[in-house]
């Protein structure tokens, strides 16, 4: 077949197929324009049909509607119908009554920037797939290193999918550096030695590597330990205080026990912004203990890192600049569409075990000729240019503008916590005598009438107290589901550390800077009404 015939055959294959226009090239913008208009219209229609923070439907009913529309949408109508379906069936973090999770409403400018990335589809695994994006990510990370307090000339980092990936990277480097130094082995090549193989401090035999993290640390710490071959039981939970902050004394005692047992403290994970309360561990003290015991300090600031944008709240993270590695998520207190995670190390040489050379992506002679690669900085190969939307946002609003958003959400949380404390049927967790919410989240619960009032479940003592505590847990869990089922609100649910009943708590995580205090009060009124309805059910 001739070249002309082959070309004609290809054209004939595509002729009857709709939707084959590409988003790139000189004609890409023109192809996108009508489709973007259709998407915007469908988003508005879906939101109007939803009419609140989440669609009023049971999980089964919602699943049935999704299946029906998915099965029926075909051809040119698929984009509009499925986009409207997605908008109708999504929890909308821009709604003031959607306040359950670290799930931010993204800034419109960030979403617009993200559209450009999707249209151009640069991949960060080699320079020739993303020339400008490679440079932009490098420049952005230098700014982020400076924000944390690192020397940008000495630090290194990469964009990640979020805190889970960043925590994995931090603990991987901790394993390779600390365990490698203790054993004289290159762990990333030879693997984790078995217990009893002469691993330990000095000449101690039989040592096992240990990771110390607060009892309120993110579950991804255990997951990372499992993935790294250390085992989840390598993670030692350290006691927390009433505000869910790691106790320095308990950390010191845990480290001493490791040494007494011939175990190797590989890493200390300090949390700067726990998921439930925004609690911040004593970072400076953690750094001092890590240095004393030869452990790597990783700070999980996926949530609390946003405080660095605020002049008022940044001092809460004093000592973060001493960490060996840090995780940040700008899809939390940064108002970016997911994913917008950042992983940083204080010293670029500690990144050595992640370095990789693939001759088809980053040959040495290309790098020597001035074509840099980011491949050896990431656990991923194909990786979208998530740095771009953050860079656009920073240049649009600046640190001061983003800091104002952080401050607005913090003030909203303070007002919400005060409203809870003043309500006769609600009980605020952990704030009495302890000041205001640390960041933008707080825990509380609805107090059923049978539990003896604002003293909470368990106030009456004995078997009756246990029954009241069980009842309080049941009502609070059920009222949250009622609000979801009726489409009235999306409220978080968690449990306090410990054993036994009476630990279920509701959670508000306020990440919409445009929400008003009155809207938060209405949300709390809805919680109370749902609690009363559950009591009467």
């Amino acid at each position: 077949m001739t070249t002309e015939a082959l070309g004609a055959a290809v054209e004939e294959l595509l002729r009857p197929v709709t939707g084959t226009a590409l988003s790139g090239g000189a004609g890409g913008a023109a192809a996108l324009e009508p489709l973007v208009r259709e998407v915007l219209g469908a988003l508005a229609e879906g939101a109007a049909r939803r009419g609140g923070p989440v669609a009023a439907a049971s999980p089964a009913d919602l699943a049935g509607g999704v299946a029906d529309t998915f099965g029926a949408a075909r051809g040119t109508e698929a984009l509009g119908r499925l986009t409207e379906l997605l908008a109708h069936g999504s929890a909308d973090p821009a709604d003031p009554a959607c306040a359950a999770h670290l799930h931010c409403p993204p800034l419109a400018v960030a979403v617009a920037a993200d559209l450009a990335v999707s249209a151009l589809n640069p991949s960060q695994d080699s320079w020739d797939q993303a020339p400008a994006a490679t440079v932009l990510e490098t420049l952005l990370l230098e700014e982020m290193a400076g924000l944390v307090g690192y020397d940008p000339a000495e630090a290194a980092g990469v964009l990640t999918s979020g805190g889970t990936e960043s925590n994995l990277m931090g603990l991987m480097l901790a394993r390779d550096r600390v365990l490698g130094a203790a054993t004289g082995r290159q762990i990333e090549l030879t693997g984790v030695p078995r217990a009893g193989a002469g691993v330990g401090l000095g000449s101690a035999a039989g040592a096992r590597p240990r990771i110390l993290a607060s009892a309120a640390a993110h579950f991804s710490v255990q997951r990372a330990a499992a993935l790294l071959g250390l085992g989840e039981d390598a993670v030692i939970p350290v006691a927390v205080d009433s505000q869910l902050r790691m106790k320095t004394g308990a950390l010191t005692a845990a480290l001493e026990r490791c040494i007494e047992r011939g175990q190797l403290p590989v890493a200390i994970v300090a949390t700067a912004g726990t998921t439930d309360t925004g609690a911040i561990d004593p970072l400076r003290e953690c750094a001092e203990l890590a240095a004393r015991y030869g452990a790597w300090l990783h700070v999980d600031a996926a949530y609390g890192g946003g405080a660095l944008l605020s002049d008022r709240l940044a001092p809460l993270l004093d000592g973060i600049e001493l960490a060996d590695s840090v995780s940040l998520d700008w899809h939390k207190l940064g108002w970016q569409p997911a994913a917008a995670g950042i992983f940083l190390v204080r010293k670029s040489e500690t990144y050595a075990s992640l370095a990789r050379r693939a001759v088809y992506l980053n040959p040495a002679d290309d790098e020597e000729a001035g074509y840099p690669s980011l491949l050896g900085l990431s656990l991923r190969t194909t990786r979208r240019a998530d740095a771009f939307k953050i860079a656009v946002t920073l240049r649009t609003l600046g640190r001061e503008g983003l800091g104002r958003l952080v401050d607005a959400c913090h003030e909203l949380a303070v007002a919400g916590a005060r409203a809870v404390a003043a309500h006769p049927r609600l009980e605020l967790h952990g704030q009495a005598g302890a000041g205001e919410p640390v960041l933008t989240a707080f825990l509380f619960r609805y107090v059923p009438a049978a539990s003896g009032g604002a003293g909470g479940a368990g106030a009456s003592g004995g078997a009756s107290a246990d029954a009241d505590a069980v009842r309080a847990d049941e009502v609070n869990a059920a009222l949250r589901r009622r609000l979801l089922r009726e489409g009235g609100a999306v409220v978080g649910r968690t449990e306090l550390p410990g054993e036994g009943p009476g630990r279920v708590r509701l959670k508000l995580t306020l990440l919409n800077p445009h929400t008003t205090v009155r809207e938060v009060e209405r949300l709390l009124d809805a919680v109370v009404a749902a609690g009363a309805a559950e009591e009467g059910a």
Side-chain angles (χ1 to χ4, degrees), residues 239-335:
V240 296
D241 62 19
S242 62
Q243 303 303 303
L244 305 187
R245 298 170 299 200
M246 185 157 53
K247 294 181 178 179
T248 304
L251 176 59
T252 304
L255 288 163
E256 281 297 318
R257 284 194 297 271
C258 285
I259 302 307
E260 291 168 3
R261 297 168 181 171
Q263 298 169 343
L264 179 66
V266 167
I268 296 171
V269 178
T271 305
T274 56
T275 303
D276 284 343
T277 65
I280 297 173
D281 290 337
L283 304 183
R284 189 166 292 276
E285 290 86 343
C286 288
E288 292 170 356
L289 287 169
R292 184 188 309 170
Y293 288 89
W296 178 284
L297 177 62
H298 175 70
V299 173
D300 178 1
Y303 176 21
L308 295 170
L309 298 167
S310 161
D311 289 339
R312 182 200 311 168
L313 299 179
L316 293 171
L317 272 65
D318 174 58
I320 194 172
E321 71 280 3
L322 302 174
D324 295 291
S325 58
V326 171
S327 64
L328 307 168
D329 275 5
W330 296 128
H331 52 252
K332 293 182 172 70
L333 269 181
W335 297 280

Side-chain angles (χ1 to χ4, degrees), residues 248-463:
T248 304
L251 176 59
T252 304
L255 288 163
E256 281 297 318
R257 284 194 297 271
C258 285
I259 302 307
E260 291 168 3
R261 297 168 181 171
Q263 298 169 343
L264 179 66
V266 167
I268 296 171
V269 178
T271 305
T274 56
T275 303
D276 284 343
T277 65
I280 297 173
D281 290 337
L283 304 183
R284 189 166 292 276
E285 290 86 343
C286 288
E288 292 170 356
L289 287 169
R292 184 188 309 170
Y293 288 89
W296 178 284
L297 177 62
H298 175 70
V299 173
D300 178 1
Y303 176 21
L308 295 170
L309 298 167
S310 161
D311 289 339
R312 182 200 311 168
L313 299 179
L316 293 171
L317 272 65
D318 174 58
I320 194 172
E321 71 280 3
L322 302 174
D324 295 291
S325 58
V326 171
S327 64
L328 307 168
D329 275 5
W330 296 128
H331 52 252
K332 293 182 172 70
L333 269 181
W335 297 280
Q336 300 297 298
I342 291 176
F343 174 72
L344 295 167
V345 295
R346 181 163 48 90
K347 300 292 184 182
S348 59
E349 59 265 26
T350 61
Y351 235 124
S353 62
L354 264 174
R356 287 294 178 271
R357 178 78 62 197
V359 293
Y360 63 94
L361 292 173
N362 62 341
D365 55 325
D366 268 7
E367 293 197 347
E368 291 166 1
Y371 294 83
S373 168
L374 305 180
L375 179 67
L377 298 173
S378 178
L379 293 177
R380 293 177 285 165
T381 305
T382 300
R383 186 167 60 83
R384 73 193 303 271
D386 288 318
F388 182 72
K389 61 198 174 194
I390 306 174
V392 169
T393 302
L394 275 172
R395 286 298 176 268
T396 302
L397 279 77
R399 176 180 175 271
E400 180 184 1
L402 284 168
R404 288 176 179 270
L405 301 184
V406 173
D407 289 342
C409 290
H410 177 247
E411 290 174 0
L412 197 64
V414 170
R418 289 175 179 170
V420 167
H423 201 291
R425 300 309 302 273
L426 299 176
E427 178 185 83
L428 185 65
H429 168 72
Q431 299 299 326
E436 302 171 339
V438 180
L439 296 172
T440 67
F442 59 88
L443 302 183
F444 68 105
R445 65 175 172 175
Y446 173 80
V447 183
S451 68
S460 56

Side-chain angles (χ1 to χ4, degrees), residues 153-181:
E154 296 184 357
V158 74
L159 269 288
T160 70
S161 59
T164 296
E165 181 184 349
S166 296
N167 290 345
L168 174 62
M169 292 181 71
L171 292 175
M172 175 183 173
L173 296 179
R175 179 201 67 177
D176 296 346
R177 297 286 293 188
V178 179
L179 189 54

Side-chain angles (χ1 to χ4, degrees), residues 1 5-20:
M1 184 179 291
L6 281 170
V10 169
E11 289 183 13
E12 185 58 33
L13 281 171
L14 295 179
R15 197 184 317 279
V17 182
T18 59
T20 61

Side-chain angles (χ1 to χ4, degrees), residues 84-129:
E84 182 182 346
L85 168 73
L86 181 66
H88 171 260
S90 289
D92 182 7
D95 191 292
C98 187
H101 302 286
L102 288 165
H103 177 202
C104 74
L107 293 165
V109 67
V111 173
D114 212 33
L115 172 61
V117 170
S118 294
L120 295 168
N121 205 29
S123 181
Q124 300 291 84
D125 47 317
S126 66
W127 187 93
D128 59 359
Q129 296 178 85

